[in-house]
Amino acid sequence: MKKLFLIPSVALTVLGTVSAFAQDAAAVATEAAAETQIAGESMHHILMQKFLEGGWGWMLPILLCLVIGLAIAIERILFLSLSTVNSKKLVANVEEALKNGGIDAAKEVCRNTRGPIASIFYQGLDRYNQGLDSVEKAVVSYGSVQTGQMESGLSWIGLFIALSPMLGFMGTVVGMIDAFDAIQAAGDISPTLVAGGIKVALLTTLMGLIAAVILQLFYNYIIAKIDSLVNAMEDSSISLMDILTAYNKK
């Protein structure tokens, strides 16, 4: 449920920024309407002007892909950051609790610790009375569940990474068709007409590639973070089984 509220809130924050960007872009477009060169303008103004030149019809869907993808990526980063704990310290605390207070004390330590590793430990300890085989199966099964939760939403980010340049290329193709239609209607090949149409068409591809590159960076960071957590989960699970095996022999 928290995810359902967090993603829209992040998306609204980013959309607010985009709305301010659009208002600034409109103002810049009005001021720069009579200008023929952009040399000397700030990069911020140049980007806004180029965005408007590409046309809202194709730029807006690409921008939406970027905004929604960023919202999901930021939510995943926050979730994974909150899921990260000192696994070695947790293992030591669980081992100490087992020595001093038994299974119930160890379960209490896991209950009071956030993150997937503590959740896996709790599920394993909760089945200790059923034997070590049941503990191992519970750890493996719940580890897969936790991995699935961490990877939730990545398919959408992957979709937006693929969709953004596709929309950009589609806008370019449509723009090129419009440029050739204009040439056909004019009955003459005008360098100005051709260059202007092609430039506007290529801007959508540029926007799509920029959106895809930004989302790809976030995607790779999230994947690396998940891999790190999964490795920590597997290593800690082995340590838990060793601790319970030693505890079972007492």
Side-chain angles (χ1 to χ4, degrees), residues 128-167:
Y128 176 77
N129 293 332
Q130 302 175 17
L132 291 180
D133 289 339
S134 297
V135 172
E136 185 176 1
K137 290 179 181 178
V139 168
V140 172
S141 299
Y142 206 70
S144 299
V145 172
Q146 290 294 319
T147 302
Q149 290 180 358
M150 289 188 291
E151 294 176 347
S152 175
L154 289 184
S155 59
W156 288 105
I157 300 177
L159 171 65
F160 294 134
I161 290 173
L163 193 59
S164 296
M166 287 182 182
L167 289 172

PDB file of all heavy atoms in Angstrom, residues 128-167:
ATOM      1  N   TYR A 128      11.504 -23.168  13.228  1.00  0.00           N
ATOM      2  CA  TYR A 128      12.579 -23.953  13.838  1.00  0.00           C
ATOM      3  C   TYR A 128      12.041 -25.232  14.468  1.00  0.00           C
ATOM      4  O   TYR A 128      12.685 -26.293  14.402  1.00  0.00           O
ATOM      5  CB  TYR A 128      13.307 -23.104  14.885  1.00  0.00           C
ATOM      6  CG  TYR A 128      14.365 -23.870  15.639  1.00  0.00           C
ATOM      7  CD1 TYR A 128      15.598 -24.146  15.052  1.00  0.00           C
ATOM      8  CD2 TYR A 128      14.120 -24.342  16.936  1.00  0.00           C
ATOM      9  CE1 TYR A 128      16.561 -24.862  15.733  1.00  0.00           C
ATOM     10  CE2 TYR A 128      15.087 -25.053  17.630  1.00  0.00           C
ATOM     11  CZ  TYR A 128      16.305 -25.320  17.019  1.00  0.00           C
ATOM     12  OH  TYR A 128      17.264 -26.041  17.700  1.00  0.00           O
ATOM     13  N   ASN A 129      10.865 -25.177  15.072  1.00  0.00           N
ATOM     14  CA  ASN A 129      10.286 -26.353  15.731  1.00  0.00           C
ATOM     15  C   ASN A 129       9.941 -27.468  14.743  1.00  0.00           C
ATOM     16  O   ASN A 129       9.754 -28.620  15.135  1.00  0.00           O
ATOM     17  CB  ASN A 129       9.029 -25.965  16.508  1.00  0.00           C
ATOM     18  CG  ASN A 129       9.355 -25.059  17.696  1.00  0.00           C
ATOM     19  OD1 ASN A 129      10.463 -25.128  18.252  1.00  0.00           O
ATOM     20  ND2 ASN A 129       8.419 -24.212  18.075  1.00  0.00           N
ATOM     21  N   GLN A 130       9.865 -27.135  13.452  1.00  0.00           N
ATOM     22  CA  GLN A 130       9.541 -28.131  12.436  1.00  0.00           C
ATOM     23  C   GLN A 130      10.785 -28.824  11.882  1.00  0.00           C
ATOM     24  O   GLN A 130      10.667 -29.708  11.029  1.00  0.00           O
ATOM     25  CB  GLN A 130       8.767 -27.473  11.288  1.00  0.00           C
ATOM     26  CG  GLN A 130       7.475 -26.800  11.734  1.00  0.00           C
ATOM     27  CD  GLN A 130       6.797 -26.045  10.596  1.00  0.00           C
ATOM     28  OE1 GLN A 130       7.096 -26.268   9.422  1.00  0.00           O
ATOM     29  NE2 GLN A 130       5.864 -25.163  10.943  1.00  0.00           N
ATOM     30  N   GLY A 131      11.954 -28.399  12.334  1.00  0.00           N
ATOM     31  CA  GLY A 131      13.193 -29.016  11.882  1.00  0.00           C
ATOM     32  C   GLY A 131      13.996 -28.089  10.973  1.00  0.00           C
ATOM     33  O   GLY A 131      13.466 -27.140  10.387  1.00  0.00           O
ATOM     34  N   LEU A 132      15.275 -28.384  10.850  1.00  0.00           N
ATOM     35  CA  LEU A 132      16.169 -27.529  10.060  1.00  0.00           C
ATOM     36  C   LEU A 132      15.839 -27.575   8.569  1.00  0.00           C
ATOM     37  O   LEU A 132      16.082 -26.603   7.856  1.00  0.00           O
ATOM     38  CB  LEU A 132      17.625 -27.947  10.286  1.00  0.00           C
ATOM     39  CG  LEU A 132      18.195 -27.668  11.692  1.00  0.00           C
ATOM     40  CD1 LEU A 132      19.637 -28.134  11.785  1.00  0.00           C
ATOM     41  CD2 LEU A 132      18.095 -26.184  12.027  1.00  0.00           C
ATOM     42  N   ASP A 133      15.306 -28.706   8.114  1.00  0.00           N
ATOM     43  CA  ASP A 133      14.918 -28.780   6.704  1.00  0.00           C
ATOM     44  C   ASP A 133      13.805 -27.783   6.392  1.00  0.00           C
ATOM     45  O   ASP A 133      13.818 -27.119   5.342  1.00  0.00           O
ATOM     46  CB  ASP A 133      14.452 -30.202   6.354  1.00  0.00           C
ATOM     47  CG  ASP A 133      15.603 -31.192   6.323  1.00  0.00           C
ATOM     48  OD1 ASP A 133      16.759 -30.737   6.172  1.00  0.00           O
ATOM     49  OD2 ASP A 133      15.338 -32.404   6.450  1.00  0.00           O
ATOM     50  N   SER A 134      12.844 -27.675   7.293  1.00  0.00           N
ATOM     51  CA  SER A 134      11.752 -26.703   7.114  1.00  0.00           C
ATOM     52  C   SER A 134      12.283 -25.279   7.183  1.00  0.00           C
ATOM     53  O   SER A 134      11.814 -24.401   6.450  1.00  0.00           O
ATOM     54  CB  SER A 134      10.675 -26.915   8.183  1.00  0.00           C
ATOM     55  OG  SER A 134      10.083 -28.189   8.054  1.00  0.00           O
ATOM     56  N   VAL A 135      13.266 -25.063   8.055  1.00  0.00           N
ATOM     57  CA  VAL A 135      13.874 -23.735   8.155  1.00  0.00           C
ATOM     58  C   VAL A 135      14.547 -23.363   6.836  1.00  0.00           C
ATOM     59  O   VAL A 135      14.381 -22.254   6.315  1.00  0.00           O
ATOM     60  CB  VAL A 135      14.901 -23.690   9.309  1.00  0.00           C
ATOM     61  CG1 VAL A 135      15.669 -22.373   9.284  1.00  0.00           C
ATOM     62  CG2 VAL A 135      14.202 -23.859  10.645  1.00  0.00           C
ATOM     63  N   GLU A 136      15.300 -24.303   6.287  1.00  0.00           N
ATOM     64  CA  GLU A 136      16.003 -24.035   5.028  1.00  0.00           C
ATOM     65  C   GLU A 136      15.028 -23.767   3.891  1.00  0.00           C
ATOM     66  O   GLU A 136      15.234 -22.850   3.081  1.00  0.00           O
ATOM     67  CB  GLU A 136      16.901 -25.219   4.681  1.00  0.00           C
ATOM     68  CG  GLU A 136      17.756 -24.989   3.450  1.00  0.00           C
ATOM     69  CD  GLU A 136      18.710 -26.137   3.175  1.00  0.00           C
ATOM     70  OE1 GLU A 136      18.672 -27.122   3.947  1.00  0.00           O
ATOM     71  OE2 GLU A 136      19.478 -26.047   2.206  1.00  0.00           O
ATOM     72  N   LYS A 137      13.969 -24.560   3.811  1.00  0.00           N
ATOM     73  CA  LYS A 137      12.965 -24.345   2.753  1.00  0.00           C
ATOM     74  C   LYS A 137      12.284 -22.990   2.910  1.00  0.00           C
ATOM     75  O   LYS A 137      12.024 -22.293   1.913  1.00  0.00           O
ATOM     76  CB  LYS A 137      11.930 -25.462   2.801  1.00  0.00           C
ATOM     77  CG  LYS A 137      12.457 -26.814   2.363  1.00  0.00           C
ATOM     78  CD  LYS A 137      11.372 -27.883   2.452  1.00  0.00           C
ATOM     79  CE  LYS A 137      11.905 -29.251   2.026  1.00  0.00           C
ATOM     80  NZ  LYS A 137      10.876 -30.318   2.163  1.00  0.00           N
ATOM     81  N   ALA A 138      11.995 -22.613   4.159  1.00  0.00           N
ATOM     82  CA  ALA A 138      11.349 -21.322   4.405  1.00  0.00           C
ATOM     83  C   ALA A 138      12.265 -20.173   4.016  1.00  0.00           C
ATOM     84  O   ALA A 138      11.829 -19.177   3.419  1.00  0.00           O
ATOM     85  CB  ALA A 138      10.959 -21.205   5.878  1.00  0.00           C
ATOM     86  N   VAL A 139      13.553 -20.305   4.334  1.00  0.00           N
ATOM     87  CA  VAL A 139      14.521 -19.257   4.002  1.00  0.00           C
ATOM     88  C   VAL A 139      14.638 -19.099   2.484  1.00  0.00           C
ATOM     89  O   VAL A 139      14.640 -17.976   1.961  1.00  0.00           O
ATOM     90  CB  VAL A 139      15.893 -19.582   4.629  1.00  0.00           C
ATOM     91  CG1 VAL A 139      16.975 -18.676   4.046  1.00  0.00           C
ATOM     92  CG2 VAL A 139      15.841 -19.418   6.138  1.00  0.00           C
ATOM     93  N   VAL A 140      14.721 -20.231   1.770  1.00  0.00           N
ATOM     94  CA  VAL A 140      14.852 -20.178   0.313  1.00  0.00           C
ATOM     95  C   VAL A 140      13.593 -19.594  -0.319  1.00  0.00           C
ATOM     96  O   VAL A 140      13.652 -18.717  -1.203  1.00  0.00           O
ATOM     97  CB  VAL A 140      15.141 -21.581  -0.251  1.00  0.00           C
ATOM     98  CG1 VAL A 140      15.089 -21.564  -1.769  1.00  0.00           C
ATOM     99  CG2 VAL A 140      16.499 -22.079   0.225  1.00  0.00           C
ATOM    100  N   SER A 141      12.424 -20.079   0.130  1.00  0.00           N
ATOM    101  CA  SER A 141      11.160 -19.628  -0.454  1.00  0.00           C
ATOM    102  C   SER A 141      10.920 -18.147  -0.181  1.00  0.00           C
ATOM    103  O   SER A 141      10.568 -17.387  -1.095  1.00  0.00           O
ATOM    104  CB  SER A 141       9.998 -20.452   0.101  1.00  0.00           C
ATOM    105  OG  SER A 141      10.151 -21.822  -0.207  1.00  0.00           O
ATOM    106  N   TYR A 142      11.113 -17.730   1.066  1.00  0.00           N
ATOM    107  CA  TYR A 142      10.851 -16.333   1.391  1.00  0.00           C
ATOM    108  C   TYR A 142      11.919 -15.417   0.804  1.00  0.00           C
ATOM    109  O   TYR A 142      11.661 -14.245   0.546  1.00  0.00           O
ATOM    110  CB  TYR A 142      10.773 -16.146   2.903  1.00  0.00           C
ATOM    111  CG  TYR A 142       9.939 -14.959   3.293  1.00  0.00           C
ATOM    112  CD1 TYR A 142       8.559 -14.963   3.116  1.00  0.00           C
ATOM    113  CD2 TYR A 142      10.527 -13.812   3.829  1.00  0.00           C
ATOM    114  CE1 TYR A 142       7.790 -13.869   3.458  1.00  0.00           C
ATOM    115  CE2 TYR A 142       9.761 -12.718   4.173  1.00  0.00           C
ATOM    116  CZ  TYR A 142       8.399 -12.750   3.984  1.00  0.00           C
ATOM    117  OH  TYR A 142       7.635 -11.660   4.313  1.00  0.00           O
ATOM    118  N   GLY A 143      13.113 -15.965   0.569  1.00  0.00           N
ATOM    119  CA  GLY A 143      14.147 -15.179  -0.115  1.00  0.00           C
ATOM    120  C   GLY A 143      13.720 -14.837  -1.530  1.00  0.00           C
ATOM    121  O   GLY A 143      13.951 -13.719  -2.020  1.00  0.00           O
ATOM    122  N   SER A 144      13.071 -15.795  -2.207  1.00  0.00           N
ATOM    123  CA  SER A 144      12.555 -15.537  -3.553  1.00  0.00           C
ATOM    124  C   SER A 144      11.452 -14.495  -3.530  1.00  0.00           C
ATOM    125  O   SER A 144      11.362 -13.639  -4.423  1.00  0.00           O
ATOM    126  CB  SER A 144      12.023 -16.841  -4.165  1.00  0.00           C
ATOM    127  OG  SER A 144      13.052 -17.797  -4.271  1.00  0.00           O
ATOM    128  N   VAL A 145      10.618 -14.551  -2.493  1.00  0.00           N
ATOM    129  CA  VAL A 145       9.546 -13.552  -2.353  1.00  0.00           C
ATOM    130  C   VAL A 145      10.132 -12.162  -2.170  1.00  0.00           C
ATOM    131  O   VAL A 145       9.690 -11.193  -2.806  1.00  0.00           O
ATOM    132  CB  VAL A 145       8.631 -13.912  -1.168  1.00  0.00           C
ATOM    133  CG1 VAL A 145       7.635 -12.783  -0.903  1.00  0.00           C
ATOM    134  CG2 VAL A 145       7.883 -15.212  -1.443  1.00  0.00           C
ATOM    135  N   GLN A 146      11.140 -12.053  -1.311  1.00  0.00           N
ATOM    136  CA  GLN A 146      11.766 -10.754  -1.066  1.00  0.00           C
ATOM    137  C   GLN A 146      12.464 -10.221  -2.317  1.00  0.00           C
ATOM    138  O   GLN A 146      12.417  -9.023  -2.602  1.00  0.00           O
ATOM    139  CB  GLN A 146      12.771 -10.874   0.091  1.00  0.00           C
ATOM    140  CG  GLN A 146      12.146 -11.087   1.450  1.00  0.00           C
ATOM    141  CD  GLN A 146      11.344  -9.897   1.899  1.00  0.00           C
ATOM    142  OE1 GLN A 146      11.742  -8.739   1.720  1.00  0.00           O
ATOM    143  NE2 GLN A 146      10.179 -10.151   2.484  1.00  0.00           N
ATOM    144  N   THR A 147      13.092 -11.109  -3.076  1.00  0.00           N
ATOM    145  CA  THR A 147      13.740 -10.693  -4.319  1.00  0.00           C
ATOM    146  C   THR A 147      12.710 -10.163  -5.309  1.00  0.00           C
ATOM    147  O   THR A 147      12.938  -9.149  -5.990  1.00  0.00           O
ATOM    148  CB  THR A 147      14.508 -11.867  -4.941  1.00  0.00           C
ATOM    149  OG1 THR A 147      15.485 -12.352  -4.012  1.00  0.00           O
ATOM    150  CG2 THR A 147      15.204 -11.435  -6.224  1.00  0.00           C
ATOM    151  N   GLY A 148      11.563 -10.843  -5.386  1.00  0.00           N
ATOM    152  CA  GLY A 148      10.488 -10.370  -6.263  1.00  0.00           C
ATOM    153  C   GLY A 148       9.971  -9.006  -5.855  1.00  0.00           C
ATOM    154  O   GLY A 148       9.667  -8.157  -6.711  1.00  0.00           O
ATOM    155  N   GLN A 149       9.868  -8.761  -4.557  1.00  0.00           N
ATOM    156  CA  GLN A 149       9.415  -7.456  -4.081  1.00  0.00           C
ATOM    157  C   GLN A 149      10.418  -6.360  -4.429  1.00  0.00           C
ATOM    158  O   GLN A 149      10.031  -5.245  -4.790  1.00  0.00           O
ATOM    159  CB  GLN A 149       9.187  -7.505  -2.571  1.00  0.00           C
ATOM    160  CG  GLN A 149       7.991  -8.349  -2.150  1.00  0.00           C
ATOM    161  CD  GLN A 149       7.800  -8.375  -0.647  1.00  0.00           C
ATOM    162  OE1 GLN A 149       8.585  -7.789   0.112  1.00  0.00           O
ATOM    163  NE2 GLN A 149       6.761  -9.064  -0.198  1.00  0.00           N
ATOM    164  N   MET A 150      11.698  -6.679  -4.324  1.00  0.00           N
ATOM    165  CA  MET A 150      12.721  -5.688  -4.657  1.00  0.00           C
ATOM    166  C   MET A 150      12.732  -5.362  -6.147  1.00  0.00           C
ATOM    167  O   MET A 150      13.032  -4.240  -6.553  1.00  0.00           O
ATOM    168  CB  MET A 150      14.104  -6.185  -4.218  1.00  0.00           C
ATOM    169  CG  MET A 150      14.299  -6.209  -2.712  1.00  0.00           C
ATOM    170  SD  MET A 150      16.005  -6.572  -2.227  1.00  0.00           S
ATOM    171  CE  MET A 150      16.149  -8.280  -2.733  1.00  0.00           C
ATOM    172  N   GLU A 151      12.403  -6.354  -6.977  1.00  0.00           N
ATOM    173  CA  GLU A 151      12.409  -6.146  -8.429  1.00  0.00           C
ATOM    174  C   GLU A 151      11.087  -5.598  -8.955  1.00  0.00           C
ATOM    175  O   GLU A 151      10.957  -5.364 -10.164  1.00  0.00           O
ATOM    176  CB  GLU A 151      12.716  -7.471  -9.130  1.00  0.00           C
ATOM    177  CG  GLU A 151      14.131  -7.984  -8.861  1.00  0.00           C
ATOM    178  CD  GLU A 151      14.379  -9.342  -9.487  1.00  0.00           C
ATOM    179  OE1 GLU A 151      13.385  -9.986  -9.904  1.00  0.00           O
ATOM    180  OE2 GLU A 151      15.544  -9.772  -9.540  1.00  0.00           O
ATOM    181  N   SER A 152      10.135  -5.378  -8.066  1.00  0.00           N
ATOM    182  CA  SER A 152       8.829  -4.857  -8.485  1.00  0.00           C
ATOM    183  C   SER A 152       8.977  -3.486  -9.144  1.00  0.00           C
ATOM    184  O   SER A 152       9.628  -2.592  -8.612  1.00  0.00           O
ATOM    185  CB  SER A 152       7.903  -4.747  -7.267  1.00  0.00           C
ATOM    186  OG  SER A 152       6.677  -4.150  -7.614  1.00  0.00           O
ATOM    187  N   GLY A 153       8.361  -3.325 -10.306  1.00  0.00           N
ATOM    188  CA  GLY A 153       8.399  -2.046 -11.011  1.00  0.00           C
ATOM    189  C   GLY A 153       9.510  -1.918 -12.035  1.00  0.00           C
ATOM    190  O   GLY A 153       9.469  -1.007 -12.880  1.00  0.00           O
ATOM    191  N   LEU A 154      10.491  -2.822 -11.994  1.00  0.00           N
ATOM    192  CA  LEU A 154      11.608  -2.718 -12.946  1.00  0.00           C
ATOM    193  C   LEU A 154      11.157  -2.950 -14.384  1.00  0.00           C
ATOM    194  O   LEU A 154      11.724  -2.384 -15.323  1.00  0.00           O
ATOM    195  CB  LEU A 154      12.705  -3.719 -12.577  1.00  0.00           C
ATOM    196  CG  LEU A 154      13.517  -3.419 -11.314  1.00  0.00           C
ATOM    197  CD1 LEU A 154      14.624  -4.439 -11.143  1.00  0.00           C
ATOM    198  CD2 LEU A 154      14.098  -2.018 -11.357  1.00  0.00           C
ATOM    199  N   SER A 155      10.140  -3.799 -14.561  1.00  0.00           N
ATOM    200  CA  SER A 155       9.653  -4.046 -15.918  1.00  0.00           C
ATOM    201  C   SER A 155       9.081  -2.774 -16.536  1.00  0.00           C
ATOM    202  O   SER A 155       9.202  -2.549 -17.748  1.00  0.00           O
ATOM    203  CB  SER A 155       8.587  -5.144 -15.905  1.00  0.00           C
ATOM    204  OG  SER A 155       7.495  -4.779 -15.070  1.00  0.00           O
ATOM    205  N   TRP A 156       8.463  -1.919 -15.713  1.00  0.00           N
ATOM    206  CA  TRP A 156       7.921  -0.653 -16.223  1.00  0.00           C
ATOM    207  C   TRP A 156       9.046   0.298 -16.621  1.00  0.00           C
ATOM    208  O   TRP A 156       8.958   0.986 -17.640  1.00  0.00           O
ATOM    209  CB  TRP A 156       7.025  -0.005 -15.180  1.00  0.00           C
ATOM    210  CG  TRP A 156       5.719  -0.702 -15.003  1.00  0.00           C
ATOM    211  CD1 TRP A 156       5.336  -1.507 -13.964  1.00  0.00           C
ATOM    212  CD2 TRP A 156       4.606  -0.678 -15.903  1.00  0.00           C
ATOM    213  NE1 TRP A 156       4.066  -1.983 -14.157  1.00  0.00           N
ATOM    214  CE2 TRP A 156       3.596  -1.491 -15.343  1.00  0.00           C
ATOM    215  CE3 TRP A 156       4.374  -0.073 -17.128  1.00  0.00           C
ATOM    216  CZ2 TRP A 156       2.369  -1.691 -15.970  1.00  0.00           C
ATOM    217  CZ3 TRP A 156       3.157  -0.269 -17.758  1.00  0.00           C
ATOM    218  CH2 TRP A 156       2.169  -1.063 -17.177  1.00  0.00           C
ATOM    219  N   ILE A 157      10.099   0.339 -15.817  1.00  0.00           N
ATOM    220  CA  ILE A 157      11.241   1.187 -16.175  1.00  0.00           C
ATOM    221  C   ILE A 157      11.846   0.703 -17.483  1.00  0.00           C
ATOM    222  O   ILE A 157      12.190   1.502 -18.373  1.00  0.00           O
ATOM    223  CB  ILE A 157      12.298   1.191 -15.055  1.00  0.00           C
ATOM    224  CG1 ILE A 157      11.696   1.721 -13.750  1.00  0.00           C
ATOM    225  CG2 ILE A 157      13.502   2.054 -15.460  1.00  0.00           C
ATOM    226  CD1 ILE A 157      12.664   1.697 -12.583  1.00  0.00           C
ATOM    227  N   GLY A 158      11.985  -0.629 -17.625  1.00  0.00           N
ATOM    228  CA  GLY A 158      12.494  -1.185 -18.872  1.00  0.00           C
ATOM    229  C   GLY A 158      11.611  -0.837 -20.064  1.00  0.00           C
ATOM    230  O   GLY A 158      12.111  -0.573 -21.160  1.00  0.00           O
ATOM    231  N   LEU A 159      10.289  -0.841 -19.829  1.00  0.00           N
ATOM    232  CA  LEU A 159       9.358  -0.466 -20.899  1.00  0.00           C
ATOM    233  C   LEU A 159       9.585   0.973 -21.341  1.00  0.00           C
ATOM    234  O   LEU A 159       9.646   1.264 -22.547  1.00  0.00           O
ATOM    235  CB  LEU A 159       7.921  -0.654 -20.420  1.00  0.00           C
ATOM    236  CG  LEU A 159       6.824  -0.111 -21.348  1.00  0.00           C
ATOM    237  CD1 LEU A 159       6.819  -0.868 -22.667  1.00  0.00           C
ATOM    238  CD2 LEU A 159       5.464  -0.198 -20.669  1.00  0.00           C
ATOM    239  N   PHE A 160       9.722   1.893 -20.388  1.00  0.00           N
ATOM    240  CA  PHE A 160       9.899   3.304 -20.727  1.00  0.00           C
ATOM    241  C   PHE A 160      11.253   3.549 -21.380  1.00  0.00           C
ATOM    242  O   PHE A 160      11.384   4.445 -22.215  1.00  0.00           O
ATOM    243  CB  PHE A 160       9.735   4.172 -19.480  1.00  0.00           C
ATOM    244  CG  PHE A 160       8.348   4.146 -18.913  1.00  0.00           C
ATOM    245  CD1 PHE A 160       8.128   3.988 -17.559  1.00  0.00           C
ATOM    246  CD2 PHE A 160       7.248   4.277 -19.743  1.00  0.00           C
ATOM    247  CE1 PHE A 160       6.844   3.958 -17.035  1.00  0.00           C
ATOM    248  CE2 PHE A 160       5.955   4.255 -19.231  1.00  0.00           C
ATOM    249  CZ  PHE A 160       5.757   4.086 -17.877  1.00  0.00           C
ATOM    250  N   ILE A 161      12.272   2.766 -21.000  1.00  0.00           N
ATOM    251  CA  ILE A 161      13.578   2.883 -21.640  1.00  0.00           C
ATOM    252  C   ILE A 161      13.469   2.517 -23.120  1.00  0.00           C
ATOM    253  O   ILE A 161      14.072   3.168 -23.989  1.00  0.00           O
ATOM    254  CB  ILE A 161      14.612   1.977 -20.941  1.00  0.00           C
ATOM    255  CG1 ILE A 161      14.928   2.533 -19.545  1.00  0.00           C
ATOM    256  CG2 ILE A 161      15.894   1.866 -21.764  1.00  0.00           C
ATOM    257  CD1 ILE A 161      15.813   1.626 -18.715  1.00  0.00           C
ATOM    258  N   ALA A 162      12.705   1.483 -23.426  1.00  0.00           N
ATOM    259  CA  ALA A 162      12.533   1.063 -24.821  1.00  0.00           C
ATOM    260  C   ALA A 162      11.557   1.968 -25.558  1.00  0.00           C
ATOM    261  O   ALA A 162      11.733   2.246 -26.752  1.00  0.00           O
ATOM    262  CB  ALA A 162      12.043  -0.388 -24.868  1.00  0.00           C
ATOM    263  N   LEU A 163      10.518   2.444 -24.857  1.00  0.00           N
ATOM    264  CA  LEU A 163       9.457   3.209 -25.508  1.00  0.00           C
ATOM    265  C   LEU A 163       9.894   4.623 -25.877  1.00  0.00           C
ATOM    266  O   LEU A 163       9.484   5.149 -26.924  1.00  0.00           O
ATOM    267  CB  LEU A 163       8.237   3.264 -24.583  1.00  0.00           C
ATOM    268  CG  LEU A 163       6.918   3.744 -25.188  1.00  0.00           C
ATOM    269  CD1 LEU A 163       6.515   2.850 -26.347  1.00  0.00           C
ATOM    270  CD2 LEU A 163       5.830   3.762 -24.128  1.00  0.00           C
ATOM    271  N   SER A 164      10.718   5.241 -25.044  1.00  0.00           N
ATOM    272  CA  SER A 164      11.121   6.637 -25.287  1.00  0.00           C
ATOM    273  C   SER A 164      11.806   6.836 -26.632  1.00  0.00           C
ATOM    274  O   SER A 164      11.383   7.681 -27.433  1.00  0.00           O
ATOM    275  CB  SER A 164      12.021   7.130 -24.146  1.00  0.00           C
ATOM    276  OG  SER A 164      11.317   7.151 -22.923  1.00  0.00           O
ATOM    277  N   PRO A 165      12.877   6.074 -26.950  1.00  0.00           N
ATOM    278  CA  PRO A 165      13.493   6.271 -28.281  1.00  0.00           C
ATOM    279  C   PRO A 165      12.577   5.845 -29.419  1.00  0.00           C
ATOM    280  O   PRO A 165      12.649   6.412 -30.518  1.00  0.00           O
ATOM    281  CB  PRO A 165      14.759   5.405 -28.219  1.00  0.00           C
ATOM    282  CG  PRO A 165      14.520   4.431 -27.130  1.00  0.00           C
ATOM    283  CD  PRO A 165      13.639   5.112 -26.143  1.00  0.00           C
ATOM    284  N   MET A 166      11.703   4.850 -29.163  1.00  0.00           N
ATOM    285  CA  MET A 166      10.766   4.451 -30.217  1.00  0.00           C
ATOM    286  C   MET A 166       9.823   5.590 -30.575  1.00  0.00           C
ATOM    287  O   MET A 166       9.564   5.856 -31.754  1.00  0.00           O
ATOM    288  CB  MET A 166       9.947   3.233 -29.755  1.00  0.00           C
ATOM    289  CG  MET A 166      10.714   1.933 -29.719  1.00  0.00           C
ATOM    290  SD  MET A 166       9.659   0.553 -29.217  1.00  0.00           S
ATOM    291  CE  MET A 166      10.856  -0.774 -29.212  1.00  0.00           C
ATOM    292  N   LEU A 167       9.303   6.269 -29.543  1.00  0.00           N
ATOM    293  CA  LEU A 167       8.438   7.419 -29.789  1.00  0.00           C
ATOM    294  C   LEU A 167       9.214   8.526 -30.501  1.00  0.00           C
ATOM    295  O   LEU A 167       8.680   9.214 -31.380  1.00  0.00           O
ATOM    296  CB  LEU A 167       7.865   7.943 -28.472  1.00  0.00           C
ATOM    297  CG  LEU A 167       6.814   7.059 -27.794  1.00  0.00           C
ATOM    298  CD1 LEU A 167       6.478   7.604 -26.406  1.00  0.00           C
ATOM    299  CD2 LEU A 167       5.555   6.972 -28.637  1.00  0.00           C
TER     300      LEU A 167
END
